[in-house]
């Protein structure tokens, strides 16, 4: 049953990427129709079920993601696992007080460095954390979240990714460092504007 | 059954606000433990069910919200209603091309003006839209989203709000303009740091 469900959700995700994804300028894959601007809630539920199934025995206490595109898949996984989701903010909000973990993250897509902030109230030493994000490319965002978990003295159980760009170094790097990385779709190439999977 | 479910989710939301909400400097209500930083997926599901029940006969085709805190309740409502969610971005992303509706929104809490952008691909003339947002205070964000729907020539069916600050003018203003506004919790006062409901 597990393999059947995995197959179904991975297939639906791959179909969406092929049918609706747009390849821009070299290595940018735009999936604004179901993940990064418009959101397909049914697909997010299937993705959440997948992560929940993969980590059901991991003793997770919390999911950590980044605003904005990580929120939908993370909340669906959190709903099924029955645990809270924390999203790192990309810049300080005036309604947050000075009680944060912060870390710098460089976005190769946007060519900007931003500061991730997570309140010390919501990631604690005894937390067992699943990191969820929409994309894994160079691994900058994941490294930022890992750094926050480390600052808190908490445990990272794994990293759940919706779409990994397998031709960029992030996934390899994180796996070599010993992290469990589960990517639901791994794109092996965007050459000639065509999406190919690993 | 409808009134029973409404009662249950409103009660859970009010309890959360009373038990976990923090009143800051006059009129800021911080609900970072379940909505604006950490997210309670079960509560988001109850909120989504509430919006879905209220708008089940409205012929909705799409939900429109704003990143980041509107996403979780909007996606839960979209899941139950079986319709997509679009979140307005607060600043342009390099992966979006020049095909937007834009509008300026002033945040009294953050004291900044930001530009909301929504792709013309995802809000169309024949769309019937439910706007969902986390807070309604002065109504700036809602007015921005209404403006985008108007630019698209689409129809706004209503505005679903998780927490309305009834002592600020947004709700009254929108209702006077003839909009249907459904707020799941209406805070009537934050005086002396104490949350009171309407």
């Amino acid at each position: 049953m597990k393999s059947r469900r995995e197959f179904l959700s991975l297939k639906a995700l791959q179909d969406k990427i092929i049918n609706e994804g747009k390849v821009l300028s070299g290595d940018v894959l735009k999936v604004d129709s179901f993940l990064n601007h418009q959101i397909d809630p049914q697909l997010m539920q299937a993705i959440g079920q997948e992560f929940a199934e993969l980590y059901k025995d991991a003793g997770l206490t919390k999911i950590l993601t980044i605003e904005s595109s990580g929120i939908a898949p993370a909340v669906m996984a959190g709903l099924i696992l029955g645990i809270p989701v924390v999203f790192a903010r990309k810049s300080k909000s005036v309604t947050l007080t000075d009680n944060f973990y912060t870390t710098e993250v460089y976005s190769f897509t946007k060519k900007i460095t931003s500061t991730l902030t997570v309140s010390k109230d919501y990631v604690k030493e005894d937390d067992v954390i699943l990191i969820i994000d929409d994309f894994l490319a160079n691994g900058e965002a994941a490294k930022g979240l890992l750094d926050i978990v480390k600052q808190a003295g908490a445990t990272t159980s794994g990293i759940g990714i919706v779409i990994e760009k397998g031709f960029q170094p992030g996934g390899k790097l994180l796996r070599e460092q010993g992290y469990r990385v589960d990517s639901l779709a791994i794109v092996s190439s965007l050459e000639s504007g065509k999406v190919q999977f690993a």
Side-chain angles (χ1 to χ4, degrees), chain A residues 55 58-65 83-84 86 118 122-132 145-146 148-150 152-160 180:
Chain A
Y55 286 86
L60 298 179
T61 62
K62 211 155 270 194
I63 293 172
L64 181 63
T65 188
I83 56 175
V86 177
V118 172
Y122 304 123
V123 181
K124 302 277 194 184
E125 202 176 347
D126 54 357
D127 274 322
V128 180
I129 289 173
L130 170 61
I131 290 171
I132 288 184
L145 294 176
L146 285 166
I148 283 170
V149 176
K150 203 172 172 181
T155 306
T156 298
S157 180
I159 301 163
R180 175 179 174 184

PDB file of all heavy atoms in Angstrom, chain A residues 55 58-65 83-84 86 118 122-132 145-146 148-150 152-160 180:
ATOM      1  N   TYR A  55       7.853   9.532   7.213  1.00  0.00           N
ATOM      2  CA  TYR A  55       8.386   9.895   8.533  1.00  0.00           C
ATOM      3  C   TYR A  55       7.476   9.488   9.688  1.00  0.00           C
ATOM      4  O   TYR A  55       7.658   9.961  10.805  1.00  0.00           O
ATOM      5  CB  TYR A  55       8.672  11.402   8.582  1.00  0.00           C
ATOM      6  CG  TYR A  55       9.907  11.760   7.796  1.00  0.00           C
ATOM      7  CD1 TYR A  55       9.839  12.007   6.432  1.00  0.00           C
ATOM      8  CD2 TYR A  55      11.169  11.782   8.404  1.00  0.00           C
ATOM      9  CE1 TYR A  55      10.988  12.298   5.692  1.00  0.00           C
ATOM     10  CE2 TYR A  55      12.315  12.078   7.686  1.00  0.00           C
ATOM     11  CZ  TYR A  55      12.211  12.339   6.332  1.00  0.00           C
ATOM     12  OH  TYR A  55      13.347  12.626   5.609  1.00  0.00           O
ATOM     13  N   ALA A  58       9.344   8.284  12.782  1.00  0.00           N
ATOM     14  CA  ALA A  58      10.566   9.024  13.121  1.00  0.00           C
ATOM     15  C   ALA A  58      10.464   9.771  14.456  1.00  0.00           C
ATOM     16  O   ALA A  58      11.431  10.408  14.874  1.00  0.00           O
ATOM     17  CB  ALA A  58      10.895  10.011  11.991  1.00  0.00           C
ATOM     18  N   GLY A  59       9.297   9.711  15.087  1.00  0.00           N
ATOM     19  CA  GLY A  59       9.145  10.414  16.362  1.00  0.00           C
ATOM     20  C   GLY A  59       9.198  11.920  16.238  1.00  0.00           C
ATOM     21  O   GLY A  59       9.640  12.621  17.154  1.00  0.00           O
ATOM     22  N   LEU A  60       8.736  12.432  15.106  1.00  0.00           N
ATOM     23  CA  LEU A  60       8.770  13.878  14.871  1.00  0.00           C
ATOM     24  C   LEU A  60       7.914  14.632  15.890  1.00  0.00           C
ATOM     25  O   LEU A  60       6.852  14.159  16.295  1.00  0.00           O
ATOM     26  CB  LEU A  60       8.223  14.208  13.472  1.00  0.00           C
ATOM     27  CG  LEU A  60       8.954  13.651  12.256  1.00  0.00           C
ATOM     28  CD1 LEU A  60       8.225  14.094  10.987  1.00  0.00           C
ATOM     29  CD2 LEU A  60      10.407  14.089  12.223  1.00  0.00           C
ATOM     30  N   THR A  61       8.397  15.807  16.261  1.00  0.00           N
ATOM     31  CA  THR A  61       7.593  16.702  17.104  1.00  0.00           C
ATOM     32  C   THR A  61       7.215  17.986  16.366  1.00  0.00           C
ATOM     33  O   THR A  61       6.331  18.699  16.805  1.00  0.00           O
ATOM     34  CB  THR A  61       8.361  17.110  18.378  1.00  0.00           C
ATOM     35  OG1 THR A  61       9.544  17.823  17.994  1.00  0.00           O
ATOM     36  CG2 THR A  61       8.749  15.887  19.204  1.00  0.00           C
ATOM     37  N   LYS A  62       7.899  18.265  15.260  1.00  0.00           N
ATOM     38  CA  LYS A  62       7.664  19.542  14.594  1.00  0.00           C
ATOM     39  C   LYS A  62       8.163  19.520  13.149  1.00  0.00           C
ATOM     40  O   LYS A  62       9.113  18.816  12.835  1.00  0.00           O
ATOM     41  CB  LYS A  62       8.379  20.656  15.368  1.00  0.00           C
ATOM     42  CG  LYS A  62       7.701  21.989  15.304  1.00  0.00           C
ATOM     43  CD  LYS A  62       8.049  22.880  16.499  1.00  0.00           C
ATOM     44  CE  LYS A  62       7.101  22.696  17.670  1.00  0.00           C
ATOM     45  NZ  LYS A  62       7.213  23.752  18.705  1.00  0.00           N
ATOM     46  N   ILE A  63       7.514  20.309  12.312  1.00  0.00           N
ATOM     47  CA  ILE A  63       7.979  20.526  10.943  1.00  0.00           C
ATOM     48  C   ILE A  63       8.465  21.968  10.832  1.00  0.00           C
ATOM     49  O   ILE A  63       7.824  22.880  11.343  1.00  0.00           O
ATOM     50  CB  ILE A  63       6.843  20.269   9.922  1.00  0.00           C
ATOM     51  CG1 ILE A  63       6.480  18.772   9.921  1.00  0.00           C
ATOM     52  CG2 ILE A  63       7.250  20.725   8.522  1.00  0.00           C
ATOM     53  CD1 ILE A  63       5.252  18.438   9.110  1.00  0.00           C
ATOM     54  N   LEU A  64       9.609  22.146  10.187  1.00  0.00           N
ATOM     55  CA  LEU A  64      10.166  23.480   9.970  1.00  0.00           C
ATOM     56  C   LEU A  64      10.259  23.748   8.473  1.00  0.00           C
ATOM     57  O   LEU A  64      10.776  22.919   7.720  1.00  0.00           O
ATOM     58  CB  LEU A  64      11.562  23.560  10.616  1.00  0.00           C
ATOM     59  CG  LEU A  64      12.302  24.902  10.523  1.00  0.00           C
ATOM     60  CD1 LEU A  64      11.552  26.013  11.246  1.00  0.00           C
ATOM     61  CD2 LEU A  64      13.725  24.767  11.105  1.00  0.00           C
ATOM     62  N   THR A  65       9.733  24.885   8.042  1.00  0.00           N
ATOM     63  CA  THR A  65       9.778  25.246   6.628  1.00  0.00           C
ATOM     64  C   THR A  65      10.097  26.737   6.496  1.00  0.00           C
ATOM     65  O   THR A  65      10.427  27.388   7.480  1.00  0.00           O
ATOM     66  CB  THR A  65       8.447  24.869   5.919  1.00  0.00           C
ATOM     67  OG1 THR A  65       8.594  25.060   4.510  1.00  0.00           O
ATOM     68  CG2 THR A  65       7.276  25.706   6.418  1.00  0.00           C
ATOM     69  N   ILE A  83       1.279  17.224  14.160  1.00  0.00           N
ATOM     70  CA  ILE A  83       2.320  18.054  14.798  1.00  0.00           C
ATOM     71  C   ILE A  83       2.297  19.470  14.216  1.00  0.00           C
ATOM     72  O   ILE A  83       1.865  19.673  13.089  1.00  0.00           O
ATOM     73  CB  ILE A  83       3.738  17.446  14.624  1.00  0.00           C
ATOM     74  CG1 ILE A  83       4.070  17.211  13.141  1.00  0.00           C
ATOM     75  CG2 ILE A  83       3.858  16.148  15.414  1.00  0.00           C
ATOM     76  CD1 ILE A  83       5.490  16.739  12.901  1.00  0.00           C
ATOM     77  N   PRO A  84       2.791  20.447  14.983  1.00  0.00           N
ATOM     78  CA  PRO A  84       2.792  21.827  14.495  1.00  0.00           C
ATOM     79  C   PRO A  84       3.840  22.074  13.405  1.00  0.00           C
ATOM     80  O   PRO A  84       4.815  21.322  13.287  1.00  0.00           O
ATOM     81  CB  PRO A  84       3.161  22.653  15.733  1.00  0.00           C
ATOM     82  CG  PRO A  84       3.200  21.728  16.887  1.00  0.00           C
ATOM     83  CD  PRO A  84       3.307  20.336  16.359  1.00  0.00           C
ATOM     84  N   VAL A  86       6.346  25.157  11.857  1.00  0.00           N
ATOM     85  CA  VAL A  86       6.917  26.484  12.071  1.00  0.00           C
ATOM     86  C   VAL A  86       7.490  26.956  10.739  1.00  0.00           C
ATOM     87  O   VAL A  86       8.211  26.205  10.086  1.00  0.00           O
ATOM     88  CB  VAL A  86       8.038  26.461  13.130  1.00  0.00           C
ATOM     89  CG1 VAL A  86       8.672  27.847  13.278  1.00  0.00           C
ATOM     90  CG2 VAL A  86       7.500  25.973  14.471  1.00  0.00           C
ATOM     91  N   VAL A 118      13.652  32.557  13.215  1.00  0.00           N
ATOM     92  CA  VAL A 118      12.726  31.614  13.866  1.00  0.00           C
ATOM     93  C   VAL A 118      12.742  31.923  15.357  1.00  0.00           C
ATOM     94  O   VAL A 118      13.810  32.031  15.968  1.00  0.00           O
ATOM     95  CB  VAL A 118      13.150  30.147  13.627  1.00  0.00           C
ATOM     96  CG1 VAL A 118      12.304  29.189  14.471  1.00  0.00           C
ATOM     97  CG2 VAL A 118      13.035  29.781  12.151  1.00  0.00           C
ATOM     98  N   TYR A 122       9.619  28.395  19.531  1.00  0.00           N
ATOM     99  CA  TYR A 122       8.969  27.339  18.755  1.00  0.00           C
ATOM    100  C   TYR A 122       9.910  26.256  18.242  1.00  0.00           C
ATOM    101  O   TYR A 122       9.456  25.308  17.621  1.00  0.00           O
ATOM    102  CB  TYR A 122       8.148  27.965  17.616  1.00  0.00           C
ATOM    103  CG  TYR A 122       7.159  28.967  18.150  1.00  0.00           C
ATOM    104  CD1 TYR A 122       7.156  30.293  17.723  1.00  0.00           C
ATOM    105  CD2 TYR A 122       6.263  28.599  19.154  1.00  0.00           C
ATOM    106  CE1 TYR A 122       6.270  31.214  18.259  1.00  0.00           C
ATOM    107  CE2 TYR A 122       5.376  29.517  19.704  1.00  0.00           C
ATOM    108  CZ  TYR A 122       5.393  30.826  19.250  1.00  0.00           C
ATOM    109  OH  TYR A 122       4.530  31.733  19.794  1.00  0.00           O
ATOM    110  N   VAL A 123      11.207  26.414  18.462  1.00  0.00           N
ATOM    111  CA  VAL A 123      12.125  25.297  18.218  1.00  0.00           C
ATOM    112  C   VAL A 123      12.955  25.122  19.483  1.00  0.00           C
ATOM    113  O   VAL A 123      13.696  26.031  19.884  1.00  0.00           O
ATOM    114  CB  VAL A 123      13.036  25.526  16.996  1.00  0.00           C
ATOM    115  CG1 VAL A 123      13.940  24.314  16.789  1.00  0.00           C
ATOM    116  CG2 VAL A 123      12.208  25.754  15.733  1.00  0.00           C
ATOM    117  N   LYS A 124      12.804  23.943  20.098  1.00  0.00           N
ATOM    118  CA  LYS A 124      13.423  23.687  21.402  1.00  0.00           C
ATOM    119  C   LYS A 124      14.380  22.502  21.307  1.00  0.00           C
ATOM    120  O   LYS A 124      14.318  21.715  20.359  1.00  0.00           O
ATOM    121  CB  LYS A 124      12.338  23.368  22.433  1.00  0.00           C
ATOM    122  CG  LYS A 124      11.284  24.455  22.596  1.00  0.00           C
ATOM    123  CD  LYS A 124      11.762  25.538  23.521  1.00  0.00           C
ATOM    124  CE  LYS A 124      10.610  26.436  23.951  1.00  0.00           C
ATOM    125  NZ  LYS A 124      11.059  27.552  24.772  1.00  0.00           N
ATOM    126  N   GLU A 125      15.191  22.380  22.328  1.00  0.00           N
ATOM    127  CA  GLU A 125      16.224  21.343  22.371  1.00  0.00           C
ATOM    128  C   GLU A 125      15.673  19.924  22.178  1.00  0.00           C
ATOM    129  O   GLU A 125      16.322  19.078  21.569  1.00  0.00           O
ATOM    130  CB  GLU A 125      16.946  21.438  23.729  1.00  0.00           C
ATOM    131  CG  GLU A 125      18.322  20.823  23.727  1.00  0.00           C
ATOM    132  CD  GLU A 125      19.034  21.029  25.068  1.00  0.00           C
ATOM    133  OE1 GLU A 125      18.562  21.856  25.891  1.00  0.00           O
ATOM    134  OE2 GLU A 125      20.059  20.351  25.290  1.00  0.00           O
ATOM    135  N   ASP A 126      14.486  19.663  22.713  1.00  0.00           N
ATOM    136  CA  ASP A 126      13.952  18.294  22.638  1.00  0.00           C
ATOM    137  C   ASP A 126      13.126  18.042  21.375  1.00  0.00           C
ATOM    138  O   ASP A 126      12.504  16.985  21.230  1.00  0.00           O
ATOM    139  CB  ASP A 126      13.142  17.956  23.897  1.00  0.00           C
ATOM    140  CG  ASP A 126      12.050  18.968  24.168  1.00  0.00           C
ATOM    141  OD1 ASP A 126      11.967  19.968  23.410  1.00  0.00           O
ATOM    142  OD2 ASP A 126      11.274  18.775  25.121  1.00  0.00           O
ATOM    143  N   ASP A 127      13.114  18.994  20.440  1.00  0.00           N
ATOM    144  CA  ASP A 127      12.342  18.803  19.203  1.00  0.00           C
ATOM    145  C   ASP A 127      13.068  17.877  18.221  1.00  0.00           C
ATOM    146  O   ASP A 127      14.291  17.947  18.068  1.00  0.00           O
ATOM    147  CB  ASP A 127      12.069  20.145  18.516  1.00  0.00           C
ATOM    148  CG  ASP A 127      10.825  20.835  19.062  1.00  0.00           C
ATOM    149  OD1 ASP A 127       9.840  20.123  19.353  1.00  0.00           O
ATOM    150  OD2 ASP A 127      10.835  22.068  19.201  1.00  0.00           O
ATOM    151  N   VAL A 128      12.274  17.022  17.580  1.00  0.00           N
ATOM    152  CA  VAL A 128      12.746  16.176  16.485  1.00  0.00           C
ATOM    153  C   VAL A 128      12.047  16.689  15.227  1.00  0.00           C
ATOM    154  O   VAL A 128      10.823  16.653  15.123  1.00  0.00           O
ATOM    155  CB  VAL A 128      12.406  14.694  16.729  1.00  0.00           C
ATOM    156  CG1 VAL A 128      12.914  13.837  15.574  1.00  0.00           C
ATOM    157  CG2 VAL A 128      12.979  14.225  18.057  1.00  0.00           C
ATOM    158  N   ILE A 129      12.857  17.179  14.301  1.00  0.00           N
ATOM    159  CA  ILE A 129      12.322  18.051  13.251  1.00  0.00           C
ATOM    160  C   ILE A 129      12.457  17.479  11.851  1.00  0.00           C
ATOM    161  O   ILE A 129      13.508  16.946  11.480  1.00  0.00           O
ATOM    162  CB  ILE A 129      13.022  19.431  13.345  1.00  0.00           C
ATOM    163  CG1 ILE A 129      12.507  20.135  14.611  1.00  0.00           C
ATOM    164  CG2 ILE A 129      12.784  20.283  12.098  1.00  0.00           C
ATOM    165  CD1 ILE A 129      13.186  21.407  14.954  1.00  0.00           C
ATOM    166  N   LEU A 130      11.363  17.588  11.102  1.00  0.00           N
ATOM    167  CA  LEU A 130      11.410  17.356   9.663  1.00  0.00           C
ATOM    168  C   LEU A 130      11.412  18.718   8.980  1.00  0.00           C
ATOM    169  O   LEU A 130      10.509  19.524   9.185  1.00  0.00           O
ATOM    170  CB  LEU A 130      10.183  16.547   9.205  1.00  0.00           C
ATOM    171  CG  LEU A 130       9.978  16.432   7.688  1.00  0.00           C
ATOM    172  CD1 LEU A 130      11.153  15.723   7.012  1.00  0.00           C
ATOM    173  CD2 LEU A 130       8.655  15.718   7.373  1.00  0.00           C
ATOM    174  N   ILE A 131      12.461  18.968   8.187  1.00  0.00           N
ATOM    175  CA  ILE A 131      12.532  20.183   7.374  1.00  0.00           C
ATOM    176  C   ILE A 131      11.806  19.915   6.063  1.00  0.00           C
ATOM    177  O   ILE A 131      12.040  18.880   5.424  1.00  0.00           O
ATOM    178  CB  ILE A 131      14.008  20.569   7.122  1.00  0.00           C
ATOM    179  CG1 ILE A 131      14.651  21.067   8.429  1.00  0.00           C
ATOM    180  CG2 ILE A 131      14.131  21.600   6.006  1.00  0.00           C
ATOM    181  CD1 ILE A 131      16.153  21.261   8.359  1.00  0.00           C
ATOM    182  N   ILE A 132      10.893  20.803   5.679  1.00  0.00           N
ATOM    183  CA  ILE A 132      10.197  20.660   4.392  1.00  0.00           C
ATOM    184  C   ILE A 132      10.403  21.936   3.584  1.00  0.00           C
ATOM    185  O   ILE A 132      10.295  23.035   4.114  1.00  0.00           O
ATOM    186  CB  ILE A 132       8.691  20.376   4.594  1.00  0.00           C
ATOM    187  CG1 ILE A 132       8.491  18.938   5.107  1.00  0.00           C
ATOM    188  CG2 ILE A 132       7.906  20.580   3.291  1.00  0.00           C
ATOM    189  CD1 ILE A 132       7.039  18.507   5.253  1.00  0.00           C
ATOM    190  N   LEU A 145      18.035  26.312   7.364  1.00  0.00           N
ATOM    191  CA  LEU A 145      17.125  25.696   8.340  1.00  0.00           C
ATOM    192  C   LEU A 145      17.880  24.723   9.240  1.00  0.00           C
ATOM    193  O   LEU A 145      17.628  24.654  10.453  1.00  0.00           O
ATOM    194  CB  LEU A 145      15.967  25.001   7.616  1.00  0.00           C
ATOM    195  CG  LEU A 145      15.008  25.948   6.865  1.00  0.00           C
ATOM    196  CD1 LEU A 145      13.953  25.158   6.100  1.00  0.00           C
ATOM    197  CD2 LEU A 145      14.339  26.934   7.824  1.00  0.00           C
ATOM    198  N   LEU A 146      18.816  23.968   8.659  1.00  0.00           N
ATOM    199  CA  LEU A 146      19.647  23.059   9.463  1.00  0.00           C
ATOM    200  C   LEU A 146      20.426  23.838  10.517  1.00  0.00           C
ATOM    201  O   LEU A 146      20.569  23.390  11.664  1.00  0.00           O
ATOM    202  CB  LEU A 146      20.629  22.287   8.564  1.00  0.00           C
ATOM    203  CG  LEU A 146      20.031  21.161   7.723  1.00  0.00           C
ATOM    204  CD1 LEU A 146      21.011  20.724   6.644  1.00  0.00           C
ATOM    205  CD2 LEU A 146      19.640  19.971   8.604  1.00  0.00           C
ATOM    206  N   ILE A 148      19.540  26.609  11.927  1.00  0.00           N
ATOM    207  CA  ILE A 148      18.623  27.037  12.991  1.00  0.00           C
ATOM    208  C   ILE A 148      18.330  25.880  13.954  1.00  0.00           C
ATOM    209  O   ILE A 148      18.333  26.055  15.174  1.00  0.00           O
ATOM    210  CB  ILE A 148      17.336  27.630  12.378  1.00  0.00           C
ATOM    211  CG1 ILE A 148      17.647  29.055  11.890  1.00  0.00           C
ATOM    212  CG2 ILE A 148      16.184  27.635  13.379  1.00  0.00           C
ATOM    213  CD1 ILE A 148      16.575  29.694  11.062  1.00  0.00           C
ATOM    214  N   VAL A 149      18.109  24.697  13.399  1.00  0.00           N
ATOM    215  CA  VAL A 149      17.872  23.517  14.259  1.00  0.00           C
ATOM    216  C   VAL A 149      19.090  23.279  15.152  1.00  0.00           C
ATOM    217  O   VAL A 149      18.957  22.997  16.352  1.00  0.00           O
ATOM    218  CB  VAL A 149      17.577  22.261  13.400  1.00  0.00           C
ATOM    219  CG1 VAL A 149      17.430  21.036  14.288  1.00  0.00           C
ATOM    220  CG2 VAL A 149      16.308  22.456  12.568  1.00  0.00           C
ATOM    221  N   LYS A 150      20.273  23.436  14.561  1.00  0.00           N
ATOM    222  CA  LYS A 150      21.524  23.243  15.308  1.00  0.00           C
ATOM    223  C   LYS A 150      21.668  24.281  16.421  1.00  0.00           C
ATOM    224  O   LYS A 150      22.024  23.940  17.561  1.00  0.00           O
ATOM    225  CB  LYS A 150      22.693  23.367  14.322  1.00  0.00           C
ATOM    226  CG  LYS A 150      23.971  22.687  14.764  1.00  0.00           C
ATOM    227  CD  LYS A 150      24.984  22.702  13.624  1.00  0.00           C
ATOM    228  CE  LYS A 150      26.342  22.211  14.098  1.00  0.00           C
ATOM    229  NZ  LYS A 150      27.317  22.251  12.973  1.00  0.00           N
ATOM    230  N   ALA A 152      19.384  25.659  17.996  1.00  0.00           N
ATOM    231  CA  ALA A 152      18.407  25.340  19.046  1.00  0.00           C
ATOM    232  C   ALA A 152      18.804  24.088  19.830  1.00  0.00           C
ATOM    233  O   ALA A 152      18.197  23.779  20.853  1.00  0.00           O
ATOM    234  CB  ALA A 152      17.022  25.148  18.423  1.00  0.00           C
ATOM    235  N   GLY A 153      19.808  23.368  19.323  1.00  0.00           N
ATOM    236  CA  GLY A 153      20.188  22.110  19.959  1.00  0.00           C
ATOM    237  C   GLY A 153      19.171  21.004  19.716  1.00  0.00           C
ATOM    238  O   GLY A 153      19.163  19.984  20.412  1.00  0.00           O
ATOM    239  N   ALA A 154      18.310  21.191  18.720  1.00  0.00           N
ATOM    240  CA  ALA A 154      17.285  20.195  18.391  1.00  0.00           C
ATOM    241  C   ALA A 154      17.855  19.182  17.389  1.00  0.00           C
ATOM    242  O   ALA A 154      19.001  19.296  16.968  1.00  0.00           O
ATOM    243  CB  ALA A 154      16.051  20.887  17.822  1.00  0.00           C
ATOM    244  N   THR A 155      17.045  18.185  17.026  1.00  0.00           N
ATOM    245  CA  THR A 155      17.477  17.113  16.144  1.00  0.00           C
ATOM    246  C   THR A 155      16.765  17.205  14.800  1.00  0.00           C
ATOM    247  O   THR A 155      15.548  17.363  14.752  1.00  0.00           O
ATOM    248  CB  THR A 155      17.112  15.742  16.769  1.00  0.00           C
ATOM    249  OG1 THR A 155      17.653  15.706  18.087  1.00  0.00           O
ATOM    250  CG2 THR A 155      17.645  14.589  15.941  1.00  0.00           C
ATOM    251  N   THR A 156      17.532  17.117  13.715  1.00  0.00           N
ATOM    252  CA  THR A 156      16.919  17.032  12.385  1.00  0.00           C
ATOM    253  C   THR A 156      16.771  15.567  12.005  1.00  0.00           C
ATOM    254  O   THR A 156      17.755  14.837  11.918  1.00  0.00           O
ATOM    255  CB  THR A 156      17.790  17.740  11.327  1.00  0.00           C
ATOM    256  OG1 THR A 156      17.893  19.125  11.659  1.00  0.00           O
ATOM    257  CG2 THR A 156      17.169  17.614   9.943  1.00  0.00           C
ATOM    258  N   SER A 157      15.526  15.162  11.779  1.00  0.00           N
ATOM    259  CA  SER A 157      15.277  13.779  11.388  1.00  0.00           C
ATOM    260  C   SER A 157      15.490  13.590   9.892  1.00  0.00           C
ATOM    261  O   SER A 157      15.974  12.552   9.446  1.00  0.00           O
ATOM    262  CB  SER A 157      13.846  13.402  11.765  1.00  0.00           C
ATOM    263  OG  SER A 157      13.573  12.085  11.396  1.00  0.00           O
ATOM    264  N   GLY A 158      15.127  14.599   9.115  1.00  0.00           N
ATOM    265  CA  GLY A 158      15.308  14.506   7.672  1.00  0.00           C
ATOM    266  C   GLY A 158      14.855  15.776   6.984  1.00  0.00           C
ATOM    267  O   GLY A 158      14.382  16.715   7.625  1.00  0.00           O
ATOM    268  N   ILE A 159      15.034  15.777   5.670  1.00  0.00           N
ATOM    269  CA  ILE A 159      14.695  16.930   4.838  1.00  0.00           C
ATOM    270  C   ILE A 159      13.769  16.436   3.726  1.00  0.00           C
ATOM    271  O   ILE A 159      14.165  15.597   2.922  1.00  0.00           O
ATOM    272  CB  ILE A 159      15.976  17.560   4.246  1.00  0.00           C
ATOM    273  CG1 ILE A 159      16.926  17.994   5.375  1.00  0.00           C
ATOM    274  CG2 ILE A 159      15.639  18.731   3.327  1.00  0.00           C
ATOM    275  CD1 ILE A 159      18.358  18.253   4.923  1.00  0.00           C
ATOM    276  N   GLY A 160      12.542  16.927   3.727  1.00  0.00           N
ATOM    277  CA  GLY A 160      11.562  16.540   2.709  1.00  0.00           C
ATOM    278  C   GLY A 160      11.413  17.636   1.680  1.00  0.00           C
ATOM    279  O   GLY A 160      11.125  18.782   2.018  1.00  0.00           O
ATOM    280  N   ARG A 180      19.344  12.655   5.874  1.00  0.00           N
ATOM    281  CA  ARG A 180      18.326  11.962   5.109  1.00  0.00           C
ATOM    282  C   ARG A 180      17.573  13.006   4.286  1.00  0.00           C
ATOM    283  O   ARG A 180      17.014  13.954   4.832  1.00  0.00           O
ATOM    284  CB  ARG A 180      17.365  11.242   6.068  1.00  0.00           C
ATOM    285  CG  ARG A 180      16.195  10.600   5.357  1.00  0.00           C
ATOM    286  CD  ARG A 180      15.262   9.872   6.317  1.00  0.00           C
ATOM    287  NE  ARG A 180      14.094   9.413   5.592  1.00  0.00           N
ATOM    288  CZ  ARG A 180      13.049   8.813   6.146  1.00  0.00           C
ATOM    289  NH1 ARG A 180      13.039   8.596   7.453  1.00  0.00           N
ATOM    290  NH2 ARG A 180      12.011   8.422   5.408  1.00  0.00           N
TER     291      ARG A 180
END
